[in-house]
Structures are given as structure tokens and as C-alpha cells.
Amino acid sequence: MAGRTGGGLRTAVSGPILKYYVYKATKSVEFYRPIMYLFFLAQGLSFTQIAVLEALYNLTTVFGEIPTGYVGDRVGRRNSLLIGTALISATLLGIGLSDSFLPLAGLYVCWSLGYNFRSGSEDAWLYDTLTDDLSEDEFAHVRGRGESAALAVGAVAAVLGGYLGRVDLSYPWFVAAGVTSLGVAVLLTLDEPETYKETDADDLTLRRTVGIVREVLSRRRMRSFLLYYYVLYAAITYLAFVFLQPIFETVVLDLGVAQSRVEPLLGWFYAAYSLVGAVLTYYTGAIRDRIGLRAWFLALPFAVGGALLGMYFVPVLALPTFLLIRGVSDVTRSFAGQYVNDRAETLGRATVLSAMAMVSGLAVVPFQLGSGVVSDAVSPLFALGVGGGVLVVGATAILLWRVPIGDEPTDGSGGERPDGSGDERSGDERPDS
């Protein structure tokens, strides 16, 4: 298939893809991220209440992924994205207006549901749109460019959010709500992909949906990939995002930075954080062509795990380590989306992707609780060091059991038998490795 895409899509971006890039640019969360927890504390919340909010968000993600993915397959990917984007925009506005725990708890549930509606449907819409043009091989390339657009906007937003927060901690939430609402306007101009319209979505029952997910996960290599990336790697790297701020504060204070400068420096670090991600995701397609999915996924857990271990012994390494993890996260997510999309049928694709996200969200919870206990007993740096060791050991164990990325064909119909072997159709293979 690679030959049929050539450089066509890369040299001439179609209208829907250009709108996809604009939509991605409206998804910036960086306006409020540098001041997020400062805002909650200013509203009188305790750290325990903040932890409860995060738990509510994660639990909603876990239990909402399959139902919202099913809705995306039934009512259409674009409509699901519309629901999610409108819900997120309204939630951000509500958070900015809230001043107590109970309203924030309800809004956190709505916030998570909004992302549930977008999680599987977004990648499914993009993949089906590219399939219309026989360009599905370009998924990782196009998704990477979209993430790059979002991160580039986010770099500016992080700095602006820091300054807006100094005026009033509610302002970043209001601006983020306004920018997100622009995504609704963009989505209203998009159509459903013809590939999706040609499916019998009206006949998609819940039982059939469960059967589709079960069929995909019946393949040993897919189960291996689920454990390798969606459970182990995603959970450990999530901890890096959680502990970034306290570790950053510890490191810069040890370097002699005044306490009063920590918050502004965090805003600029988040901007750099986004820019590194933007540069790498822009070249997602080139990385895939030169390195390949197999080599990328085989090396990544060991590089990240080693970096997490190293920064415990040399704390200043935490700064480049966080930049590394942020930089590769969206590239890796694009590759994972490509890999799963290639092995799922059009009908039920959003649900399969949502099922993967659901498992990932559930897996994070014990890692969260364990890392919290270890951080209280020792330090966040030690907790991430332990996480790095778990990542290296766990990845080794999974590879000894079953290598998650193989050379089997990926023709969008599964390509792999339930016993984990690939169909012998070498002519249909894609250059994944």
C-alpha cells in the first residue's frame, strides 16, 4: 500500500485533513495546566479532595470508554466528536466559575466523559477519512502533524496561561473554554467518511460490538501489545506527568532558583515541553519510515525506563527526561493508533480504540496509588525510579512471552489469526518494520 500513497497526501493536503489540523489546534489544554492545582487550592480544596477529583476522572474514563465508543460507531465519528468537544468547552467554563468541591466533582465527571466521546472517535474518523483516499498508510504521518499543531499552539498557551493566572486564576479556564469551542465550529464543517457511511452501523448491536472487541483481543500478539503499551508503558509514563511539578520544583530549588520564580519557570518549561513534542510529532511519518514501528516499540520502554532510573541518582537529569517522555509520547500514541487501526475493521473501530483506552485508564489506578504511597514514604524521584525499573523488567518479561510488534500483514481486516500468527499474504504487507 505504501506505493499507492507515494507522496500524494504529503504534497497536497485535502480539505478534510486541513480542517482536522485546525480542529487539533483548538484542543490546547496548556492555558490552565500550569496553574491548575493552584486554582483548586485557591478555591479552598484540600489535597485529599484534589485526589478524589482525579480518581473520579479516571473512574469515569474507565467506565465511559466502551459506551462512548459504541455511540461513536452508532451515531458517527463526527457527531461523537461534536458531543465531546461541546461538553469539554462547557465544563472548562464551569470549572472557572466554581468555588467549591461538589460542583467541581460533577464537572470532573462531565470533563472525563467529554474526552471519552473524543478518544476513539477521533482516530477512527481520521483513519476512515484516509481510507476514502486509499491513504490509510499515512495515518501516523497525518496524526503526528495534527498533534504537532496542537502542541505548537500549546507552547504559546502555556506562557499566556501563566501570565493570565497571575491576574486571576479563573481566566485561563475561560480562555481555554473559548478556544475549545472553536473546535465545534470546525467539526460542523466536516462530513462523515464514505468508508463509515458504507458500513451497516444501524445494525451494530451492543452484543455485536462486544464480539468485535473480543475478536481483536483474541489474537495473542494484540494481547501482548495491549499489555506492553496500553498497560505497562502508558501507566509508567503517566506517573511522570503527575510528578513533574513537584520534582521540577525540587530540582530548580536545589540549583539555587528562588521560590518566587518557580511558577513562572514552570510556565516556560511547559512551553518548551510542548515545543519538543511539536517538533517530534511533526516528523512522525519520517520517524516511522526510517525507524519502523517494530524498532521503535522494542527500544522505547528501555530508553524511558533507563532515564527514569538515572534521574533518581542524578536529579538534574529529570528535566531532560521529562522533555524526552513528553516528546515521544504523542509519536508513540500515533504509532499505537496506526497499529490498532490496521488490525480493526471499520465497523466497531471506535469501540476497539476506546476499549484499549479503557484498559489503559484502569491500569493507571494501581500505579497511581502505589506511587503515591512510595512518594509519601520516600520521594517522588524514588517513586519514578521504581517505575523505571518496573518498566524495564515488565517489558523484558512481555518480550520473552510474545513480541508485540510482528511482521504479519495488516490489511485492516485483522491480518492475524487468533493463535497469533499472520496470514501468508506477503504482497499485502506494509513497511511497519
Side-chain angles (χ1 to χ4, degrees), residues 24-262:
K24 292 289 285 186
T26 69
K27 292 180 63 179
S28 171
V29 301
E30 304 298 341
F31 284 107
Y32 57 80
R33 182 172 285 173
I35 56 86
M36 182 173 176
Y37 296 108
L38 296 178
F39 171 81
F40 292 145
L41 292 170
Q43 308 316 306
L45 271 66
S46 65
F47 285 109
T48 299
Q49 288 175 317
I50 293 174
V52 171
L53 291 180
E54 295 293 338
L56 282 172
Y57 187 98
N58 285 335
L59 288 173
T60 305
T61 296
V62 169
F63 294 110
E65 278 292 354
I66 292 293
T68 53
Y70 175 68
V71 170
D73 281 323
R74 282 299 304 268
V75 307
R77 287 79 155 96
R78 190 206 68 158
N79 291 335
S80 183
L81 291 173
L82 274 170
I83 294 170
T85 302
L87 189 56
I88 291 170
S89 181
T91 300
L92 293 174
L93 177 62
I95 290 175
L97 295 171
S98 297
D99 60 0
S100 61
F101 172 73
L102 286 179
L104 285 169
L107 287 165
Y108 249 69
V109 172
C110 295
W111 201 8
S112 181
L113 280 175
Y115 280 104
N116 281 162
F117 275 108
R118 296 206 302 196
S119 64
S121 294
E122 182 178 306
D123 280 357
W125 178 90
L126 177 60
Y127 194 88
D128 288 343
T129 297
L130 294 172
T131 301
D132 287 348
D133 297 328
L134 301 180
S135 303
E136 61 266 38
D137 277 354
E138 295 285 339
F139 175 85
H141 171 79
V142 174
R143 191 186 189 285
R145 293 292 172 91
E147 291 296 336
S148 181
L151 290 167
V153 172
V156 178
V159 177
L160 291 176
Y163 286 109
L164 285 170
R166 189 162 62 178
V167 178
D168 191 305
L169 290 172
S170 296
Y171 288 173
W173 298 96
F174 297 150
V175 174
V179 172
T180 301
S181 68
L182 295 177
V184 174
V186 175
L187 290 169
L188 287 171
T189 68
L190 294 176
D191 293 321
E192 289 290 355
E194 289 299 324
T195 299
Y196 170 79
K197 292 178 181 179
E198 293 170 0
T199 63
D200 52 346
D202 290 338
D203 297 329
L204 185 63
T205 64
L206 187 58
R207 177 177 294 182
R208 185 178 178 188
T209 299
V210 172
I212 290 170
V213 175
R214 184 185 296 118
E215 190 279 327
V216 172
L217 295 180
S218 68
R219 308 165 200 158
R220 283 191 296 172
R221 183 155 278 149
M222 282 301 295
R223 294 199 300 272
S224 175
F225 186 73
L226 177 66
L227 290 174
Y228 191 76
Y229 172 72
Y230 285 97
V231 173
L232 183 64
Y233 180 82
I236 295 299
T237 53
Y238 178 86
L239 299 182
F241 299 137
V242 170
F243 291 116
L244 186 154
Q245 292 182 18
I247 291 177
F248 179 91
E249 181 178 31
T250 299
V251 169
V252 297
L253 289 177
D254 287 346
L255 291 175
V257 174
Q259 179 70 56
S260 61
R261 295 182 59 198
V262 171

Side-chain angles (χ1 to χ4, degrees), residues 251-325:
V251 169
V252 297
L253 289 177
D254 287 346
L255 291 175
V257 174
Q259 179 70 56
S260 61
R261 295 182 59 198
V262 171
E263 288 78 7
L265 281 176
L266 264 173
W268 284 101
F269 185 78
Y270 271 105
Y273 194 65
S274 294
L275 284 174
V276 170
V279 171
L280 286 179
T281 53
Y282 185 82
Y283 291 104
T284 297
I287 293 171
R288 178 177 182 265
D289 292 341
R290 287 168 174 76
I291 299 178
L293 298 189
R294 182 184 177 90
W296 180 272
F297 278 109
L298 292 184
L300 191 64
F302 300 97
V304 171
L308 291 173
L309 282 166
M311 74 186 208
Y312 171 70
F313 297 101
V314 185
V316 74
L317 292 178
L319 302 183
T321 296
F322 287 137
L323 291 177
L324 165 69
I325 294 174

